[in-house]
Amino acid sequence: MASNDYLSVTVLTQYLKRKFDVDPYLGKVYLTGEISNFRLRPHAHQYFSLKDDHAKINAIMFRSAFEKLKFTPETGMKVLVTGRISLYEPTGSYQIYVERMEPDGIGQLYQAYEQLKKKLANEGLFAAPKQPLPRFPKRIAVVTSPSGAVIRDIITTVRRRYPIAQIVLYPAVVQGDAAADDIVRQIERANAAGTFDTLIIGRGGGSIEDLWPFNEERVARAIAASRLPVISSVGHETDTTIADLVADVRAATPTAAAELAVPVLKDELLKLTQERTRLLNAMANRINFQQQRLNKLMTAYVFRQPQRLYETYVQRLDRAQQGLRQGMTQQVTRRQQQFRLASQGLKNQSPLDRVRRAQTDLGQTTQRLNENAERLLTTKRQRVGQLIEGLDYLSPLKILGRGYSYVTQDDRVIRQTADLKQGLATIHLSDGTAAAEIQTITPATEDQHE
């Protein structure tokens, strides 16, 4: 075959895509399956898969279609989808373009209701502290349709029960796609006014689609953020919306909402009358009781003999004065004794006595010092005399006086013959000196030494 007889991949893919697009059975397909590989992409197209036990198909849901869903798809959720089958040329794979989706086996709105209810419950919005309703409101704001029976029932009930309260209507769309935003806007307006005591939000009964604006998340958050206490009255008694769960008080009907918002004026006036009567009776009984006490006191002996009222006190005063005098006397005596003891102690510790004792000690010490000095001086004198006498005995002059003499030669004391030399020498006597000439020097022999 020639090369011209072969198809390119692109041509084949385009041919197959056209087959998908023109097939009347694939232009609108109703499919059921389990969601797989779903990852929410905010404000974008959604890509996922649908599968059963034996097969899987890729799916895409464009943003415009996905934003119309009342619930959030999740992996593992079984759904019913409507769409068309086509082929994606770049990869050559076929896929379903989903146009509508709803949970299989459960309504779409109910699924969305349960998901939002679980989300807000996890946030603690339902368990948040509720605001108490004022007992005697002056102005009540009502967010509802201006043409419905709700506002008429509320006005009728309030006028019948508590006509002094003022009802102000904040007209809102309560059904359809624009209803949620309108309800939120009117709630915020009523709060911004700052002159209302209570806020009632309500509408009549209907299907879950009709009541759906009151299941929107933005409405629930607006009610939760309201500074006014909110009474929710949506649908019939068996209908429970997200707004009912978030509101401070839920009423089964608009009439019940009005009854919760205001008391019955006649009943309150009757209560006031009853309280006034009870107060008057109580005061009368108290006055009678006090009058009886007064009469009894007036007949007491203290009023007939007033002096007896203070006789006991006079006696107690006398005893107190006597005790005070005795106590003062004892206190003065004790203080005087303490003073004498302190004076004696001060006298014993007087500096003059210590000075006199110190002077006496000084005189005795001086006397002992002089006596010891005199004895020491005498002893030293005696010792000096003894030393002088000893020195005198050792004096050369003393020795010379006993007949001894010594010889010097050339100003040297001659101690032995070896020191002498022939010639002149000087002989020293006790009373003078004599000159001598040394002619012969004879040393001593050993025998002589012996």
Side-chain angles (χ1 to χ4, degrees):
M1 293 181 64
S3 61
N4 293 335
D5 295 330
Y6 289 88
L7 297 176
S8 66
V9 176
T10 300
V11 172
L12 177 60
T13 303
Q14 290 175 348
Y15 175 78
L16 293 175
K17 176 175 173 56
R18 179 170 175 76
K19 285 292 185 181
F20 275 99
D21 291 342
V22 299
D23 190 323
Y25 295 103
L26 301 180
K28 195 172 188 66
V29 176
Y30 299 90
L31 192 65
T32 179
E34 181 181 312
I35 295 177
S36 175
N37 299 324
F38 180 83
R39 182 174 62 85
L40 181 64
R41 298 158 56 90
H43 310 296
H45 307 317
Q46 307 299 322
Y47 299 90
F48 53 96
S49 301
L50 293 174
K51 67 176 184 177
D52 55 21
D53 294 339
H54 304 289
K56 182 175 71 172
I57 182 174
N58 292 332
I60 177 174
M61 193 171 190
F62 291 118
R63 175 181 175 183
S64 58
F66 184 77
E67 289 182 344
K68 294 179 181 179
L69 294 181
K70 301 298 185 181
F71 71 102
T72 302
E74 299 175 357
T75 296
M77 181 184 293
K78 193 173 182 182
V79 293
L80 302 173
V81 301
T82 303
R84 60 184 178 84
I85 304 297
S86 185
L87 185 138
Y88 184 57
E89 294 184 48
T91 62
S93 59
Y94 76 94
Q95 57 189 9
I96 181 169
Y97 292 80
V98 180
E99 297 171 357
R100 295 180 59 189
M101 179 190 299
E102 65 181 37
D104 187 7
I106 187 171
Q108 179 183 12
L109 293 179
Y110 181 74
Q111 178 71 25
Y113 171 83
E114 289 297 328
Q115 288 180 342
L116 180 59
K117 181 179 177 182
K118 180 179 179 182
K119 175 183 177 181
L120 298 182
N122 291 336
E123 292 183 13
L125 215 62
F126 301 152
K130 304 297 184 181
Q131 300 184 73
L133 298 178
R135 185 175 179 182
F136 303 110
K138 296 179 180 179
R139 303 188 75 212
I140 301 173
V142 180
V143 176
T144 188
S145 171
S147 58
V150 173
I151 186 62
R152 293 195 299 272
D153 291 345
I154 291 176
I155 291 175
T156 301
T157 303
V158 171
R159 285 180 177 174
R160 173 175 53 83
R161 290 170 59 89
Y162 199 69
I164 61 177
Q166 180 183 4
I167 303 296
V168 178
L169 172 65
Y170 280 82
V173 179
V174 294
Q175 184 173 335
D177 294 338
D181 292 333
D182 199 26
I183 294 171
V184 170
R185 181 169 58 254
Q186 298 297 14
I187 292 174
E188 293 175 348
R189 284 187 58 201
N191 276 271
T195 58
F196 294 101
D197 302 305
T198 308
L199 174 62
I200 299 176
I201 300 173
R203 65 149 290 155
S207 64
I208 187 172
E209 290 82 1
D210 296 336
L211 302 179
W212 189 253
F214 296 91
N215 289 322
E216 294 281 358
E217 182 175 357
R218 53 186 179 276
V219 174
R221 296 196 181 277
I223 294 174
S226 174
R227 293 186 300 274
L228 297 173
V230 178
I231 302 175
S232 176
S233 174
V234 180
H236 300 296
E237 186 173 0
T238 56
D239 299 320
T240 301
T241 63
I242 298 295
D244 294 332
L245 299 175
V246 178
D248 297 295
V249 178
R250 183 198 176 220
T253 63
T255 299
E259 291 175 349
L260 290 171
V262 297
V264 178
L265 182 59
K266 292 181 180 179
D267 293 344
E268 298 301 324
L269 293 176
L270 178 60
K271 290 179 183 178
L272 288 176
T273 302
Q274 293 174 347
E275 292 296 330
R276 179 176 180 274
T277 302
R278 288 178 57 193
L279 181 62
L280 292 175
N281 291 337
M283 290 302 298
N285 292 335
R286 189 171 184 82
I287 291 173
N288 291 333
F289 175 73
Q290 296 295 341
Q291 185 64 49
Q292 292 175 3
R293 286 189 63 194
L294 177 61
N295 294 336
K296 184 177 180 180
L297 292 173
M298 291 298 294
T299 59
Y301 70 91
V302 294
F303 289 100
R304 296 194 304 270
Q305 299 177 352
Q307 68 276 8
R308 296 180 60 183
L309 182 65
Y310 55 85
E311 286 177 350
T312 302
Y313 295 100
V314 171
Q315 293 177 359
R316 291 176 60 185
L317 178 61
D318 290 340
R319 287 198 297 269
Q321 289 177 341
Q322 182 178 1
L324 179 62
R325 285 193 295 269
Q326 292 177 352
M328 290 299 296
T329 302
Q330 294 175 356
Q331 185 75 5
V332 170
T333 302
R334 186 166 58 254
R335 293 297 184 184
Q336 288 176 345
Q337 184 177 3
Q338 292 176 352
F339 176 75
R340 286 194 298 270
L341 293 174
S343 299
Q344 184 63 36
L346 288 175
K347 189 177 297 183
N348 293 337
Q349 299 296 327
S350 173
L352 295 177
D353 292 341
R354 296 177 63 185
V355 169
R356 285 194 292 270
R357 289 196 298 270
Q359 287 177 342
T360 302
D361 294 341
L362 178 61
Q364 294 175 354
T365 303
T366 302
Q367 182 179 358
R368 288 196 300 271
L369 180 62
N370 291 335
E371 292 176 353
N372 291 334
E374 186 66 28
R375 285 195 297 270
L376 180 61
L377 182 59
T378 303
T379 302
K380 294 299 183 182
R381 285 175 178 172
Q382 293 176 355
R383 179 62 177 164
V384 169
Q386 294 173 356
L387 292 175
I388 292 174
E389 184 177 356
L391 288 175
D392 188 48
Y393 286 145
L394 297 176
S395 173
L397 296 178
K398 195 74 172 177
I399 296 173
L400 294 176
R402 292 199 298 269
Y404 292 93
S405 63
Y406 64 94
V407 178
T408 62
Q409 192 177 40
D410 297 330
D411 296 328
R412 290 174 56 206
V413 176
I414 303 301
R415 300 181 181 276
Q416 54 190 356
T417 57
D419 295 331
L420 283 174
K421 59 183 180 179
Q422 292 180 352
L424 293 177
T426 303
I427 299 173
H428 295 270
L429 303 172
S430 61
D431 57 351
T433 60
E437 181 178 355
I438 304 300
Q439 295 179 352
T440 302
I441 301 172
T442 306
T445 64
E446 293 182 0
D447 294 337
Q448 290 176 336
H449 283 293
E450 293 177 359

